[in-house]
Amino acid sequence: MARNATDVKNYAGFFPITVVCLIILYAPLLVVTVYSLNDSNSITNWEGVSFRWYADVFTGPESEKFKIAAWNSFTIAIIAATLSTTIATLAATAIVRGGRFRLRTVSFGLISLPLMVPEIVTAVATLIFFNSIGFSRGYLTILVAHIAFCIPFAYLPIAARMQGIEDSYEQAAMDLYATKRQAFTRILLPLMMPGIISGYLLAFIVSLDDFIITNFVKGAGIETLPTAIFGSVKQGIKPNIMAISTMLLAVSILMVTISYFVSKSDNTK
């Protein structure tokens, strides 16, 4: 009885507010997806269903630009997600399993800070830092900025997963003459794997979709998919932009789906 009384779904107006929020969030995405299938050269006139604009992304006049931008985006996202997840795993191990040590709270605050600071502030600060040390802007500056920015996104699911694992597993392993390294690699690390995978996928999506930081720290002649799309939109919204945006959306949905099934499969064990 008490449980039903505190259920948020029982509050008046919950359902209509939920519907309005869902419409505001997903209606624009649905419009982009539908009009990416429009056979017309105009985004305002509907002339039937066609996949011509998806083909145009790969074979049209701007295809080479989009291919290079996609290569940059995916390689940066893969490398940034890999390194940021590795750093986040080590940081989570130190903070969650390292016991109480000096500056432990400060370390957690520094890792979480990029989540609380507006992204535009992070972008400006990163740009000033690179300029102050004479670091030429280009592919490498984007990669370094993405690694730093993605660490807290990877850290949160990894730390949450580690906090849910009792240290008795490692203690039992060490009671059976395992070293601390063996207890970590053979016991703790496999148990942490769902959190690590979730952190990696989250970092990958954040890096792949990032525009603000990338736009500030990229050099001349280097583009990622978000900046390439922005450059094309400034010349007018064309149906091929909707097609490539829909494909980016599909990649994000795929990553979220994989993350969901990874966490679900772990919870069923």
Side-chain angles (χ1 to χ4, degrees):
M1 199 69 166
R3 177 185 167 190
N4 292 334
T6 57
D7 193 342
V8 69
K9 290 183 290 185
N10 293 330
Y11 288 117
F14 173 81
F15 181 75
I17 292 174
T18 302
V19 172
V20 170
C21 291
L22 290 175
I23 291 175
I24 293 174
L25 286 172
Y26 295 108
L29 301 178
L30 182 62
V31 170
V32 169
T33 302
V34 170
Y35 273 90
S36 70
L37 299 171
N38 186 10
D39 191 47
S40 173
N41 291 326
S42 171
I43 63 171
T44 58
N45 299 324
W46 182 264
E47 295 183 2
V49 177
S50 173
F51 290 94
R52 59 177 291 199
W53 298 114
Y54 288 90
D56 183 83
V57 171
F58 298 98
T59 61
E62 295 182 296
S63 62
E64 192 62 31
K65 178 181 72 173
F66 288 135
K67 288 177 183 177
I68 295 174
W71 172 259
N72 291 335
S73 286
F74 279 95
T75 54
I76 288 172
I78 291 171
I79 298 172
T82 301
L83 294 180
S84 62
T85 302
T86 302
I87 296 171
T89 302
L90 297 176
T93 303
I95 293 176
V96 178
R97 281 292 196 268
R100 300 193 63 84
F101 59 89
R102 193 176 180 184
L103 301 179
R104 180 174 180 268
T105 304
V106 175
S107 299
F108 175 75
L110 290 175
I111 292 176
S112 306
L113 190 61
L115 297 175
M116 297 176 284
V117 174
E119 191 174 351
I120 184 67
V121 175
T122 303
V124 172
T126 307
L127 174 62
I128 294 173
F129 171 75
F130 285 141
N131 287 340
S132 64
I133 64 175
F135 203 171
S136 299
R137 287 183 289 165
Y139 185 97
L140 191 56
T141 53
I142 299 175
L143 178 59
V144 172
H146 280 210
I147 292 171
F149 184 65
C150 289
I151 288 174
F153 291 95
Y155 172 85
L156 291 180
I158 295 173
R161 173 62 184 167
M162 187 178 290
Q163 288 170 350
I165 302 173
E166 297 181 2
D167 59 0
S168 57
Y169 294 102
E170 302 141 83
Q171 293 174 4
M174 288 187 285
D175 285 342
L176 296 173
Y177 304 104
T179 63
K180 288 186 177 181
R181 181 176 180 179
Q182 289 173 330
F184 175 78
T185 57
R186 298 185 182 182
I187 305 299
L188 184 59
L189 194 59
L191 292 173
M192 288 170 51
M193 197 53 64
I196 293 174
I197 294 175
S198 296
Y200 178 89
L201 294 176
L202 182 58
F204 180 87
I205 293 173
V206 168
S207 175
L208 184 67
D209 295 341
D210 181 78
F211 168 75
I212 297 178
I213 292 178
T214 304
N215 196 49
F216 270 77
V217 302
K218 75 181 185 71
I222 180 76
E223 298 285 355
T224 62
L225 274 176
T227 60
I229 291 172
F230 179 73
S232 296
V233 166
K234 289 194 295 185
Q235 301 172 5
I237 301 177
K238 294 174 285 187
N240 63 339
I241 298 300
M242 294 190 173
I244 196 169
S245 299
T246 302
M247 287 189 284
L248 265 178
L249 176 63
V251 171
S252 298
I253 292 174
L254 176 63
M255 293 298 173
V256 172
T257 303
I258 294 173
S259 178
Y260 168 77
F261 281 111
V262 167
S263 60
K264 184 178 180 181
S265 64
D266 178 69
N267 291 334
T268 57
K269 292 180 180 179

